[in-house]
Amino acid sequence: MPEIIILACVALFVAFRLYAVLGRRTGHEQPIVKPADLQQAPLMARPQIEQQPAAKAEPMGTVAAMIDPQALDGVRQIVAADPHFDVATFLDGARSAYRMTLEAFWRGDEAELRKLVDDEVYDAFVESIAARREAGETVENRLVSIERSTIDHAGMGGQMAIVTVRFDADIAAVTRDAEGHVVAGSLDDAVQTHDLWTFSRHVKADDPNWILIETDEAA
């Protein structure tokens, strides 16, 4: 009888130790894999490629507002010849060229004009600068703002892309004589101007710059 009691105690002790070791979940156990899970699991998982956010496209309504309807076909011709042509980027550059060219003309900087315009426009600018100097006059013009710039005409001439831009701008203009007296204009009152400037570029050229080939006044 005492042996039975001792054996029962030993059995209870062993059972308690087994539960202490095997019966608890520590949080590090491997999940139990079901046969169905093994059948559905791929042999090799494909790497996940993080999708980069797409570049924000210019809204179609915004682009359309930059182009006169009569110029749409011509813009399409340029895009077909040069897929890198972008209307918004082009107009940004055209506005910069408009400002740089006017400021170079006003201060009589012929070397700067040489970089921006073709021979015919350059000759006309230089002739006007020479006449101004001969008269002893100076100008103190200032481009106050470009209110609007749109593509008025566009098209291809052989391998040359040709784009005419309409600029609606406010310019404060003053002309002084040799003694410094104001003979025309006022810096206090800006004058609205409406210009048509035509730019050209060879679509296969490495140089991305456009050249001014014609200037005119818009109606």
Side-chain angles (χ1 to χ4, degrees):
M1 189 68 179
E3 290 82 4
I4 295 175
I5 295 174
I6 293 172
L7 289 173
C9 290
V10 170
L12 287 173
F13 177 78
V14 171
F16 177 79
R17 293 298 299 166
L18 286 173
Y19 174 79
V21 174
L22 302 177
R24 296 179 182 177
R25 296 187 62 82
T26 65
H28 297 285
E29 296 85 352
Q30 295 296 322
I32 299 174
V33 180
K34 300 177 182 179
D37 294 335
L38 288 174
Q39 292 175 2
Q40 294 174 2
L43 295 178
M44 181 179 294
R46 294 182 181 180
Q48 295 296 315
I49 301 175
E50 184 176 352
Q51 185 108 7
Q52 296 298 326
K56 186 177 181 180
E58 197 74 32
M60 289 302 296
T62 303
V63 173
M66 301 176 184
I67 308 172
D68 189 281
Q70 66 182 347
L72 285 172
D73 286 342
V75 170
R76 293 190 185 102
Q77 292 175 17
I78 295 174
V79 171
D82 179 9
H84 298 292
F85 180 78
D86 177 79
V87 171
T89 301
F90 169 81
L91 285 175
D92 282 343
R95 284 189 289 269
S96 296
Y98 183 71
R99 180 181 296 276
M100 292 169 61
T101 303
L102 285 178
E103 292 177 349
F105 171 65
W106 291 335
R107 67 176 180 266
D109 190 341
E110 298 176 11
E112 181 69 12
L113 288 171
R114 178 75 280 177
K115 305 173 186 176
L116 300 169
V117 304
D118 74 347
D119 293 341
E120 187 174 346
V121 176
Y122 175 78
D123 290 342
F125 279 153
V126 169
E127 183 178 347
S128 180
I129 291 171
R132 196 168 65 205
R133 288 172 179 165
E134 186 176 349
E137 294 177 345
T138 57
V139 294
E140 297 178 6
N141 296 359
R142 179 167 57 89
L143 179 59
V144 178
S145 64
I146 300 175
E147 298 295 333
R148 187 165 176 260
S149 58
T150 56
I151 295 178
D152 192 74
H153 290 85
M156 293 293 299
Q159 293 294 307
M160 302 300 294
I162 302 171
V163 182
T164 299
V165 180
R166 177 188 173 110
F167 296 99
D168 298 319
D170 294 330
I171 295 177
V174 169
T175 301
R176 298 182 184 274
D177 61 17
E179 285 74 37
H181 301 129
V182 175
V183 296
S186 169
L187 286 177
D188 296 328
D189 297 321
V191 177
Q192 287 188 342
T193 62
H194 309 284
D195 294 319
L196 291 174
W197 283 24
T198 302
F199 300 89
S200 180
R201 175 183 174 271
H202 195 293
V203 293
K204 301 301 182 183
D206 294 332
D207 186 354
N209 294 319
W210 293 70
I211 295 295
L212 178 64
I213 62 173
E214 186 178 348
T215 64
D216 199 359
E217 291 184 4

